[in-house]
Every structure is written in C-alpha cells, then in structure tokens.
Amino acid sequence: MKKTVKLLCLTALMAFVGVSAQAQFRQSIFLNGALPTGQFASKVSTDRGPLNGTVPLYREEVGKAATPGFGLGYRVSYRFDVGMGEVAPFAQADFFWNFMKSEWTDKYVQAKGKAPNYFNIPIMLGVSYLYDELWNDITPYAEFGVGGDLFIIGSEKVVNSIDNKTYTYGYKPTITMSWMFGLGAYFGRHVSAGIYYYGLGKHVVAYSDKTYKSFSDAEKLVVDNGTIPTRTVGEFAIRIGFHF
C-alpha cells in the first residue's frame, strides 16, 4: 500500500513538472490608445428645451461627445503549448481616459466651470490563442475576454451668472457587463501590438446624492423628468504590449 501511494505521488509530481515545463507564467503592461464609439462618441443635442445648448449638460446629455483617449493595462497570463500553437488564459485590468470635445470644454471655460472627464476601468477574464509557427520572430494571436466595466463620469461645474455661485453636478459610478476582442502579433518575446474592440456596456447616468442636495426645486423640474438616461459605451483600441 505504501509503495502504491509513493508511486502515485511520484507520478503526480512528474505530471506537474511536465505541465509546468510546457506552461509559462507571464505579466504584461499595455499602452492604450482609444477611439470612442456608440453613444459615447455621439453629438450632444443642442435642442434641449430650457437648456438651449448651453452648459451644464445635465444627465440628459452628459456621457457624450468623448474625444479619442489613452490609458494603461495590466495582465497576468499562463501559456500552454497545445501542439498547434499556444493557449493563454488571462486576467487583466485596463484604464481608459477620454475628455470632452473642445467645442464643449470651451463652453465650460466661458461659464467659468469645468467639463466632465470620462473614465472606464474594464476588468476581464479571457483567453488568447497564439500561432507560433508562421514566422520565426512574429507570432500572430487572437483573444477574447468578458468581465465588468466601471464607468466614471467626472463632475461638471459652472458659475451661475445671476447669483455668481458655483454649481457642481456629480454622477454615480456604474458597473455593467463588458467584453473585448482583439487581433495582433508578438514581435519577439517581449513586445506586441494589436487592434481591439471593447464593448463596455450600457450604463445608467444617475446623479450622486450630493448633487440632489444642491438643486433648487426649479432645477429639479428641468432635469428630473421621471426617466434615467443610459449611455452605450464602446472603444476601438490600439494596444502596445510589453511582456515579462
């Protein structure tokens, strides 16, 4: 019995060593350049009744008119040789930062205020397939991931021209399901480049409690019409990766 147990343990150890030899734990850092899509990139409506195309945008129009942005990413992955290339499950977190288009940031400057910035933080689990037998130093890959996206809308501020007071409109961060798909290539072992699409979900645009406390009754009638707007957020991304 003891010999059998020892044999099983030795067999398990050899199997583990064999799998470890075929697998590679890797860490990656990415530089992200992003082009917004969907409602995230759509034009702000200038026909909004009492607002008359001025700032603040309120929740009816905020979350639109995003500029191309940038950001960072971090990933841990574990590669396995499957005979016809490699498979690499991964976990990753990205950060995207988009501003508002200049035509709107200029309006906030004129109102002695501050335009909102937009932040997306998608966290995903996924898998890559790498075909490493096509060229000696170039390894093409395809990958897919799913997870959740944290969407943060920065507060917007304006100075009221009548009472000369500063009014701040804050928004609640929201989380919804997201996904991404990418194609690219490794150049050697340590550098990669790829083109991706991130579907960052449909987010509710809701005021923070602090904002509600600052509203007058008249302002609530203007902006609180019984519905809560949503924004569909997406990004095309170019990613440069560094792998260790």
Side-chain angles (χ1 to χ4, degrees), residues 134-156:
L134 192 58
W135 297 288
N136 289 334
D137 295 323
I138 300 178
T139 303
Y141 69 83
E143 55 191 37
F144 177 76
V146 294
D149 175 58
L150 174 65
F151 183 41
I152 301 172
I153 300 175
S155 60
E156 50 179 340

Side-chain angles (χ1 to χ4, degrees), residues 78-94:
Y78 207 53
R79 288 190 183 183
F80 293 89
D81 190 334
V82 293
M84 293 290 293
E86 294 181 319
V87 171
F90 64 80
Q92 73 172 36
D94 283 294

Side-chain angles (χ1 to χ4, degrees), residues 154-214:
S155 60
E156 50 179 340
K157 297 181 180 181
V158 294
V159 175
N160 189 301
S161 59
I162 298 176
D163 58 16
N164 205 36
K165 291 182 179 179
T166 299
Y167 287 82
T168 300
Y169 302 84
Y171 298 89
K172 294 180 179 179
T174 58
I175 300 176
T176 191
M177 184 175 178
S178 61
W179 61 275
M180 69 86 172
F181 176 76
L183 297 171
Y186 283 76
F187 302 91
R189 288 181 50 83
H190 300 293
V191 178
S192 69
I195 299 175
Y196 290 74
Y197 180 74
Y198 282 76
L200 300 177
K202 180 182 286 188
H203 291 267
V204 170
V205 181
Y207 285 124
S208 64
D209 294 337
K210 182 179 180 180
T211 298
Y212 272 116
K213 292 176 183 177
S214 71

Side-chain angles (χ1 to χ4, degrees), residues 91-154:
Q92 73 172 36
D94 283 294
F95 171 78
F96 295 102
W97 184 0
N98 300 83
F99 301 93
M100 284 200 73
K101 292 181 178 177
S102 59
E103 62 181 296
W104 287 98
T105 56
D106 290 346
K107 290 179 183 291
Y108 280 93
V109 170
Q110 293 169 9
K112 299 179 182 179
K114 180 178 75 70
N117 293 328
Y118 304 132
F119 306 93
N120 284 280
I121 306 174
I123 299 175
M124 299 189 186
L125 298 176
V127 63
S128 300
Y129 172 72
L130 303 92
Y131 188 72
D132 58 359
E133 298 181 5
L134 192 58
W135 297 288
N136 289 334
D137 295 323
I138 300 178
T139 303
Y141 69 83
E143 55 191 37
F144 177 76
V146 294
D149 175 58
L150 174 65
F151 183 41
I152 301 172
I153 300 175

